[in-house]
Amino acid sequence: MIKSNILDIVSMEKQMPTQELQQALLNYLPNCRWFRTKSKVIAQVHCSNTKPLEGKEHTYFLSSVEVTFEDSTKERYFLPLAFLESATEGNHYLKTFPNSVVYVDSNYPVVVDALYISDFRTALLQLLLNNKTFSEFQFKSTTALRNIKDFNSKILTADQTNTSIIYNEEWFLKIYRKLEDGINPELEIVRFFSERTGFKNAPQYGGSIIFQHPEGERSIVSLVQNKIPNRGEAWTAMLELLSHYYAALMQVPPVPLPELPTSTRIYWKDLPATAKQFITESSYNRVALLGQRTAEMHIALASDTESPAFVPELLTMDNQRELHSDIRDLIECKFNLLEEKLEHLPTTTAAEAKQVLACKTQLLKNLENLKDTPISTDKIRVHGDYHLGQVLYNETDFYIIDFEGEPLRSLKERRTKVSPFKDVAGMIRSFHYAAYGELYLHPEKYAIATMPMLEEWGNYWYEVMQRCFLTSYLDTCQNYSFIPKHSAELRLLLQVYLLEKAVYEVAYELNARPDWLRIPLRGVLQVASEMS
C-alpha cells in the first residue's frame, strides 16, 4: 500500500484514484534500471511530504520514495514527480521517454519522472545557483557553477544505475537515485581533488544536492561536476587499437609469437622487432600515459596530512588477515558455483573451468602468504572500481571518472582505505578483457580459422600492455609510501588483487555472459601460475 502522503493529496486534487497510482508505482519501480533490489517483493511505498516546487510550466514534487519490502527491509529513492494534464504533452513523454512515465490513464493526468522535463531541470539548477534549502533538500554550488550563462539541458537516456543531466554542455549533474545514509565517496573525492590537490585529470567539483532525513541522517542526492570534452571511454579507444592490431596480423602470413622480455618492467626499446611491427609505439605510449595518470591519482589521494578521511595509514597484519579471509571465502563460494554449472558449459570452456577448479587447493595454499607475510606499505583512499570504462579519452590524455566505488558495497566499505594495487589490478584485468573482447564483440571481422592464432596474439598484447602500464605506474610513484619497498611484497599484493578480481569475474560471467567466461578463467589460471 501507499501511506497517506503527498500522493493522496495530489491524487485528490486531480481527481485521480490513489489505488491506481499506488499500483502504478509498485509496477514502475522494479522496471527502473536504477532500482537496485529487483529480487525482493515490494510491500509498500511511502513518499516524503514535500511542498510543491513551482516551475514555469508545472508544479513539481521533490519526492523521496521509501520502499518497504516484504522482509521488512527498506530503501529510499529520489523520484521527483510531475502531473501532466495536457493529453498532447502526456503523449509526447509516452512516445519519446516511455521509461519516464509512472502512470497513464485516459481519464487522468499522466504522471512522469520530472527529471525528464526541461522546465524542472531548470528549476533544479536555479535552486543550486541560489544555494537554497527547499523542504528536506539542501542545494550547494561553487563560484564556477554560478558562472553558467545558459540553462539549456538534456537528460542522458543511456541505461545507467544513476541518472545524468548535462547543462549547457558544460556541467554534468549526476543523480544518485538510491539515497544512502552517509558520505558519498564520489562527491568526497571529486571535491578533494578540486579543493585540496593539483590533480587535473578528474572532473571539477561544481556543487551538490543533499537530502536531510527527518531522523537526522543525510544522503547525497546529486553531484555537479564539469563535463570533460572527450571522444569516449578508454575501453572503446582500446578496442580500436586492438582492431588495427588484429587487422595487421591478418594481412601477413602467420608469424611466430616473439619472446616476451623477461624483466618485470619493460620499455618500448625492450620489445622484439616482430612485436613492434604490430604493437605500434603510439599504442604503447598511450597505455604508458594511462599508467602515469593512475599513479598521479594515487599520489593525489595520498597527499593529505590533515583530514582523517584521506591521511594514509599503515597496512596492518589485521588488514592482511581480513583481506585473506575475504578472498578465501570468495574462492570457496565462486568455485562451488563454477562446479555446479560445469556440465552446462561448452566443451572448450568446461575444459578450462576444470583446470581452474583443479588449482583451488594450491591457490588457497599460496594465499596463506598474505596473512603470514608482513607487507611494509600504506593503505590509502582509492578509486575502488577502476577499469577502462571509468576513464575518458580525448585523443591526447585520459580523465578518470566515477569515483563511487563498487555499487554493491556499502558507503562505509567504499570509503575504506586499501592498497592502491586494488585499482592497479582492476585496470590490468580490464586490459585482459579488451584483448579478447574485441574478438568476441566483433566475430564477423575475424575468420573462425584464424581465431586461435589471434587469441594467442591477443594474450601477447595483454602481457606487453599490462607490463607497460605497471612500468609507467611504478616509475611515477615508486618512492611513495603506498608502494612496498620489496619486490616480493609488491608482487604478492598485486597477485592477490588480480586473483580476487578474476574470481569475481568468473561468477559474473557465469550468470551474465557465459560466452565470455573463458576470459576470467584464463585470468585465474595466469595468477595461479604466477603465485606458484
Side-chain angles (χ1 to χ4, degrees):
M1 60 174 288
I2 294 183
K3 298 179 182 178
S4 178
N5 50 49
I6 189 173
L7 294 183
D8 289 319
I9 297 169
V10 174
S11 61
M12 285 189 290
E13 290 178 350
K14 304 293 184 182
Q15 297 181 338
M16 180 181 295
T18 302
Q19 186 174 359
E20 290 188 27
L21 185 55
Q22 162 196 330
Q23 191 58 50
L25 265 177
L26 294 175
N27 294 334
Y28 177 74
L29 289 171
N31 292 316
C32 294
R33 174 75 168 86
W34 44 261
F35 187 75
R36 297 284 180 84
T37 310
K38 292 180 169 60
S39 59
K40 294 183 180 181
V41 178
I42 300 174
Q44 66 180 24
V45 178
H46 171 74
C47 293
S48 68
N49 194 7
T50 69
K51 62 182 180 182
L53 172 63
E54 298 295 338
K56 288 184 177 181
E57 300 173 6
H58 301 284
T59 298
Y60 306 103
F61 298 89
L62 269 67
S63 310
S64 69
V65 182
E66 184 178 84
V67 178
T68 303
F69 298 99
E70 287 190 344
D71 63 2
S72 297
T73 58
K74 296 181 179 182
E75 292 177 347
R76 194 186 296 265
Y77 291 86
F78 179 63
L79 179 60
L81 297 173
F83 294 77
L84 311 179
E85 295 189 77
S86 164
T88 301
E89 193 173 17
N91 287 332
H92 165 74
Y93 286 94
L94 281 167
K95 293 178 180 178
T96 310
F97 301 113
N99 293 336
S100 73
V101 179
V102 178
Y103 176 91
V104 60
D105 187 297
S106 59
N107 298 315
Y108 305 102
V110 175
V111 184
V112 301
D113 178 349
L115 288 170
Y116 285 82
I117 300 176
S118 175
D119 179 51
F120 174 73
R121 298 195 295 268
T122 296
L124 270 189
L125 183 57
Q126 288 173 329
L127 288 170
L128 275 162
L129 298 182
N130 293 319
N131 287 314
K132 289 287 189 179
T133 295
F134 186 88
S135 190
E136 298 104 331
F137 297 87
Q138 299 171 6
F139 295 78
K140 299 181 179 181
S141 61
T142 63
T143 302
L145 178 61
R146 292 194 292 274
N147 287 330
I148 191 170
K149 304 299 182 186
D150 197 321
F151 285 16
N152 287 335
S153 67
K154 64 181 179 182
I155 188 168
L156 302 186
T157 56
D159 198 18
Q160 297 177 323
T161 54
N162 302 303
T163 300
S164 301
I165 297 168
I166 302 294
Y167 286 102
N168 198 34
E169 295 299 326
E170 293 181 71
W171 293 94
F172 183 89
L173 179 74
K174 178 187 261 187
I175 302 286
Y176 304 103
R177 293 290 197 155
K178 185 179 180 184
L179 302 179
E180 300 180 83
D181 296 347
I183 299 172
N184 181 296
E186 181 165 37
L187 186 149
E188 187 179 31
I189 289 176
V190 168
R191 189 169 185 176
F192 175 76
F193 282 149
S194 296
E195 299 177 355
R196 305 287 294 274
T197 80
F199 185 60
K200 301 301 182 185
N201 290 77
Q204 175 189 353
Y205 173 72
S208 61
I209 304 174
I210 300 171
F211 176 77
Q212 182 71 54
H213 296 265
E215 300 83 9
E217 292 290 342
R218 295 167 48 146
S219 298
I220 304 301
V221 177
S222 177
L223 166 65
V224 186
Q225 48 196 338
N226 73 310
K227 182 178 181 288
I228 298 171
N230 67 88
R231 196 169 67 81
E233 297 173 353
W235 168 261
T236 303
M238 210 60 66
L239 292 187
E240 288 179 5
L241 292 181
L242 280 156
S243 177
H244 295 307
Y245 173 74
Y246 290 130
L249 283 163
M250 290 191 296
Q251 290 171 2
V252 298
V255 180
L257 279 176
E259 291 290 326
L260 277 167
T262 56
S263 58
T264 303
R265 297 194 195 188
I266 60 171
Y267 302 90
W268 178 251
K269 64 180 177 60
D270 301 323
L271 293 183
T274 308
K276 291 180 178 180
Q277 180 182 351
F278 303 105
I279 301 175
T280 64
E281 188 171 7
S282 61
S283 299
Y284 187 92
N285 290 339
R286 189 181 298 185
V287 171
L289 178 61
L290 181 56
Q292 178 186 336
R293 295 292 181 246
T294 304
E296 290 168 349
M297 172 183 70
H298 290 150
I299 291 169
L301 287 169
S303 64
D304 198 274
T305 58
E306 297 176 1
S307 171
F310 286 94
V311 173
E313 300 174 12
L314 186 67
L315 185 74
T316 67
M317 287 303 297
D318 284 343
N319 297 146
Q320 291 181 220
R321 283 189 283 267
E322 183 179 2
L323 179 60
H324 166 268
S325 177
D326 289 345
I327 298 178
R328 181 196 60 206
D329 292 347
L330 181 71
I331 290 173
E332 293 286 357
C333 175
K334 305 310 181 187
F335 275 48
N336 287 342
L337 180 64
L338 180 62
E339 192 164 19
E340 289 172 9
K341 298 197 174 186
L342 193 61
E343 62 182 271
H344 304 294
L345 298 176
T347 304
T348 304
T349 306
E352 291 180 318
K354 288 176 182 178
Q355 293 180 52
V356 167
L357 292 171
C359 70
K360 174 183 174 182
T361 301
Q362 189 61 45
L363 274 175
L364 292 174
K365 181 180 178 181
N366 292 335
L367 191 61
E368 295 291 304
N369 291 328
L370 181 60
K371 70 180 181 68
D372 297 334
T373 305
I375 300 176
S376 300
T377 191
D378 279 352
K379 56 183 180 179
I380 64 172
R381 291 294 294 274
V382 299
H383 185 285
D385 188 23
Y386 197 49
H387 53 78
L388 289 166
Q390 307 285 42
V391 180
L392 299 178
Y393 182 63
N394 70 354
E395 295 290 358
T396 59
D397 210 345
F398 293 101
Y399 293 85
I400 302 165
I401 60 171
D402 290 340
F403 291 88
E404 286 183 74
E406 294 174 330
L408 296 181
R409 295 184 183 271
S410 68
L411 290 181
K412 181 179 179 181
E413 289 175 313
R414 287 185 255 165
R415 296 179 66 233
T416 299
K417 294 169 187 170
V418 297
S419 167
F421 281 95
K422 178 181 179 69
D423 284 348
V424 173
M427 186 56 70
I428 288 175
R429 290 295 311 135
S430 199
F431 287 134
H432 196 217
Y433 261 74
Y436 292 96
E438 166 60 23
L439 298 174
Y440 295 171
L441 285 169
H442 306 289
E444 72 284 353
K445 290 163 53 176
Y446 308 106
I448 295 177
T450 65
M451 195 62 77
M453 178 272 290
L454 292 177
E455 286 188 354
E456 286 187 352
W457 275 92
N459 190 66
Y460 187 89
W461 180 93
Y462 159 70
E463 289 287 356
V464 170
M465 291 309 196
Q466 64 103 350
R467 289 202 222 173
C468 164
F469 174 81
L470 188 59
T471 296
S472 179
Y473 177 83
L474 293 175
D475 284 350
T476 306
C477 63
Q478 179 65 66
N479 297 322
Y480 285 83
S481 63
F482 52 81
I483 302 295
K485 301 304 178 189
H486 301 292
S487 59
E489 295 175 8
L490 187 157
R491 189 163 53 250
L492 175 60
L493 265 182
L494 180 57
Q495 287 171 347
V496 296
Y497 279 118
L498 284 169
L499 176 62
E500 178 187 44
K501 186 68 173 174
V503 171
Y504 171 82
E505 292 164 354
V506 166
Y508 176 83
E509 302 300 1
L510 268 173
N511 293 314
R513 296 180 299 191
D515 291 345
W516 287 51
L517 181 58
R518 295 178 67 198
I519 303 176
L521 287 174
R522 291 173 180 180
V524 174
L525 290 172
Q526 285 183 335
V527 177
S529 174
E530 291 168 4
M531 292 183 78
S532 298

